């Protein structure tokens, strides 16, 4: 099932908006459906799939979800990258480095 992009755009986080401006200049898909997940961004040329983590992801269940997301990405020959919201605002240079 494809994600409802209009709904997701209306509710996108400030971190998503800021990260959009930090992405490398290559074809990018936003709100990319991957199995049961919706990734924030998919970088088509580098095969990177990005999931932004907010502060609510700091508990045991989220580690399992992240593992399942990573497994699904790797199964599809994609490189999963998890970026915390705070990192996007506090260290954007580091975020850019991680995406190269």
């Amino acid at each position: 099932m494809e994600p409802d992009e209009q709904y997701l755009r209306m509710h996108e986080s400030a971190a998503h908006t800021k990260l959009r401006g930090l992405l490398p200049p290559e074809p990018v898909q936003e709100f990319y459906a991957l199995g049961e997940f919706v990734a924030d961004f998919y970088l088509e040329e580098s095969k990177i799939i990005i999931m932004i983590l907010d502060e609510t992801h700091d508990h045991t269940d989220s580690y399992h979800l992240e593992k399942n997301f990573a497994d699904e990405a790797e199964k599809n020959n994609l490189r999963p990258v998890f970026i915390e919201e705070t990192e996007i605002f506090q260290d954007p240079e580091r975020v850019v480095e991680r995406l190269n």
Side-chain angles (χ1 to χ4, degrees), residues 41-100:
F41 297 98
Y42 167 51
L43 307 179
E44 296 178 21
E45 291 175 4
S46 55
K47 303 290 186 201
I48 293 173
I49 191 151
I50 302 169
M51 178 74 71
I52 298 173
L53 304 177
D54 63 23
E55 55 201 36
T56 64
H57 276 265
D58 193 18
H59 58 81
T60 305
D61 288 343
S62 19
Y63 296 116
H64 293 291
L65 289 171
E66 291 165 29
K67 170 77 169 101
N68 291 341
F69 177 83
D71 290 347
E72 186 71 25
E74 291 166 2
K75 182 172 81 176
N76 287 279
N77 298 314
L78 304 174
R79 180 170 66 109
V81 175
F82 297 97
I83 303 173
E84 295 194 24
E85 281 186 341
T86 55
E87 185 179 12
I88 294 168
F89 293 105
Q90 294 174 0
D91 197 357
E93 295 82 15
R94 168 99 171 99
V95 170
V96 171
E97 286 174 13
R98 291 180 57 204
L99 298 176
N100 290 319

